[in-house]
Amino acid sequence: MFNALRTTIIAAAFLTGAAHASVNPHPQFGMATSNDNADRQVTINANTKSVNVNNGDTVAFNVNGKTFTWHFDTLHAEEAFSLAKIAPAGIDLGNVTVYVGSNPLYRG
């Protein structure tokens, strides 16, 4: 009985983790959120090469009439990565880099 219960708990934990990974494939950069939560709006166009945000910011990105919102919560104080890593499928961002600065609440 105890072995069956333990196996069930381990399987449930594994499946919960797998489900979360499929919803948020890059948790080290933060998480997708509702447009209602955005602190600011950023429009990405063909001339956009980079975007600056702070850790803790929630930003709505407008790309060719499509919008997605991201809450930045990186593992490091400062981070730089391709914005395409966090964009939903079907949104073409080209080579835009997002630079995440440290959270202003924790700066000396």
Side-chain angles (χ1 to χ4, degrees):
M1 176 71 179
F2 179 72
N3 285 337
L5 178 61
R6 181 175 54 187
T7 302
T8 302
I9 291 171
I10 291 171
F14 176 75
L15 291 174
T16 301
H20 183 273
S22 67
V23 171
N24 187 6
H26 296 288
Q28 70 270 26
F29 301 132
M31 64 185 351
T33 188
S34 167
N35 291 342
D36 297 336
N37 296 328
D39 299 322
R40 68 181 187 146
Q41 305 275 329
V42 174
T43 299
I44 305 293
N45 60 40
N47 297 323
T48 307
K49 300 294 179 209
S50 64
V51 176
N52 293 318
V53 300
N54 288 316
N55 210 356
D57 284 354
T58 302
V59 180
F61 294 97
N62 301 310
V63 186
N64 297 324
K66 297 179 182 178
T67 302
F68 72 98
T69 304
W70 193 264
H71 174 75
F72 290 90
D73 187 14
T74 60
L75 297 175
H76 305 287
E78 296 183 7
E79 188 88 43
F81 56 90
S82 172
L83 190 56
K85 284 187 176 183
I86 61 171
I91 296 182
D92 182 19
L93 286 161
N95 293 322
V96 176
T97 300
V98 62
Y99 293 95
V100 184
S102 62
N103 189 320
L105 295 175
Y106 303 113
R107 292 181 188 154

